[in-house]
Amino acid sequence: MSNEYSAFKAARHFGRIEDLRKGILIYPTQIQIDLTNLCNHDCIYCFSKFTINKDSNTYFIDDKTVYKLLDDAVKLDIKSFHFTGGGEPFLHKSIYPILERTVRNNLEYGMVTNGTMIDFDKVELLKKMSWVRISIDASDSIMYYKLRAIDEFDKVISTVRKFRNQCQKTILGISFVVNPMNYGQILDFTRLGKDLGVHNIRFSIAWFPKKHPRFKTGYDMKKIKELIAKAEKLQTKDFKIFDLTKGRLSTFNCEDKDYTSCGYQHFTTVIGADSCIYPCCTLKYVSKANFGSLKEHSFQDIWLGNKRTKWLKTNYLKDMCSKNICWMEEKNKFIGYLIQEDVDHVNFV
């Protein structure tokens, strides 16, 4: 059974769940970090375009800040790092020294990348990745250019092949962000991924602000569902399809949540290219959700500090989260169940 996107992973961290149930603050198991806000692609559906303050002059996190964070993670029993964007991680000038420090500290790491700037002369470091997800979103060069405004389809396909051949222990995934322009290629993309020998494909759905012209274009969810159902029939024990489009449009409505707390933020936190800590990816770069800067304080001091502890006591679900999209609702419902003190009928499994 393939569990890469399971909503139930928190159950594996019994000690942390028990501490949360007792009201004890825990350290996360994962840190997601934007090494940069810059990218060499210009995707029309890029979430960061709508969330990152364009007036900000912070484009790269300082490498010394990352090194200290990686060292502190070992002391705090933080297990893994997820290098993502923001922008393209491999644009950071110190990406390989950062990965070297990550590996030296025996930390697991995964990577989200567009796959066009990777140096396979560093393959020994790349082999240490637990997983990599390469963003493609198109089954041919014409659609790729329409979506990304750059002609690098053949280059990224070459990268996928190199990963498959040279980093065989790394879980290799490719992603397809469904949007009003490309959803007709869902099945062709699945066939392409299977031919390339990737381990999995992740289908997610693009989010546009309601005032954005592409929001009005809309989605033919019936057609998307039909195409993904056909794609799922191509699965084998070594090739999996993860459909993250299900129910996602409803989360875009930014309505009140039907659960009482966000447990996900205790297990995963986000650090922006501005060196600041945020509770999750959708609140990244939102000033009211900024817990503090690693340029000024240690991770431990911020994590246990006044800003974050005050945040946890506020009605953030109503004040902040109901105004923003959330991709972690199923995880929050599950963690919320796990940390309840009294649960009815627990023995009737």
Side-chain angles (χ1 to χ4, degrees), residues 8 26 28-29 71 76 115 127-128 149 156 298 303:
F8 310 128
I26 64 170
T29 60
D71 293 344
L76 302 176
K127 286 179 180 179
K128 301 293 184 180
V156 73
S298 70
W303 196 248

Coordinates of all heavy atoms in Angstrom, one line a residue, residues 8 26 28-29 71 76 115 127-128 149 156 298 303:
F8 N -3.1 10.1 7.8 CA -3.0 9.5 9.1 C -1.6 9.4 9.7 O -1.4 8.7 10.7 CB -3.7 8.1 9.0 CG -5.0 8.1 8.4 CD1 -5.3 7.2 7.3 CD2 -6.0 8.9 8.8 CE1 -6.5 7.2 6.7 CE2 -7.2 9.0 8.2 CZ -7.5 8.1 7.2
I26 N 4.8 20.6 21.4 CA 5.8 19.7 20.8 C 6.5 20.4 19.7 O 6.1 21.4 19.1 CB 5.0 18.5 20.2 CG1 4.1 18.9 19.0 CG2 4.3 17.7 21.3 CD1 3.5 17.7 18.2
P28 N 8.0 20.2 15.8 CA 7.5 19.6 14.5 C 8.3 18.4 14.1 O 9.5 18.3 14.5 CB 7.5 20.7 13.5 CG 8.6 21.6 14.0 CD 8.5 21.6 15.5
T29 N 7.7 17.6 13.3 CA 8.5 16.5 12.7 C 9.1 16.9 11.3 O 10.0 16.3 10.8 CB 7.6 15.2 12.4 OG1 6.6 15.6 11.6 CG2 7.1 14.7 13.8
D71 N 21.3 22.6 12.3 CA 22.0 22.1 13.5 C 21.0 22.0 14.7 O 21.0 21.1 15.5 CB 23.2 23.0 13.8 CG 24.3 22.8 12.8 OD1 24.2 21.9 12.0 OD2 25.1 23.7 12.7
L76 N 16.6 19.3 18.6 CA 15.1 19.4 18.9 C 14.3 18.2 18.4 O 13.1 18.2 18.5 CB 14.5 20.7 18.4 CG 15.2 22.0 18.9 CD1 14.6 23.2 18.2 CD2 15.1 22.1 20.4
G115 N 12.8 21.1 -11.8 CA 13.7 20.1 -12.4 C 14.6 20.6 -13.5 O 15.3 19.8 -14.1
K127 N 21.0 11.4 -4.4 CA 20.6 10.1 -4.0 C 20.1 10.0 -2.6 O 19.4 9.0 -2.2 CB 21.8 9.1 -4.2 CG 22.2 8.7 -5.6 CD 23.4 7.8 -5.6 CE 23.8 7.4 -7.0 NZ 24.9 6.5 -7.0
K128 N 20.5 11.0 -1.8 CA 20.1 11.0 -0.4 C 18.7 11.5 -0.2 O 18.2 11.4 1.0 CB 21.1 11.8 0.4 CG 22.5 11.3 0.4 CD 22.7 10.0 1.0 CE 24.2 9.6 1.1 NZ 24.4 8.3 1.7
A149 N 5.7 29.8 -19.8 CA 6.4 30.8 -20.5 C 7.9 30.5 -20.7 O 8.7 31.5 -20.7 CB 6.2 32.2 -19.8
V156 N 13.3 19.0 -18.7 CA 12.7 18.5 -17.5 C 12.5 17.0 -17.7 O 12.7 16.2 -16.7 CB 11.5 19.2 -17.0 CG1 10.3 18.9 -17.9 CG2 11.1 18.9 -15.6
S298 N 16.5 32.1 17.9 CA 16.6 30.7 17.5 C 15.3 30.1 17.3 O 14.2 30.7 17.7 CB 17.3 29.9 18.7 OG 16.4 29.8 19.8
W303 N 9.6 29.1 18.6 CA 8.6 28.1 18.7 C 7.9 28.0 20.0 O 6.7 27.8 20.1 CB 9.2 26.7 18.4 CG 8.2 25.6 18.1 CD1 8.0 24.5 18.8 CD2 7.5 25.5 16.9 NE1 7.0 23.7 18.2 CE2 6.7 24.3 17.0 CE3 7.3 26.3 15.7 CZ2 5.8 23.9 16.0 CZ3 6.4 25.9 14.8 CH2 5.7 24.7 14.9

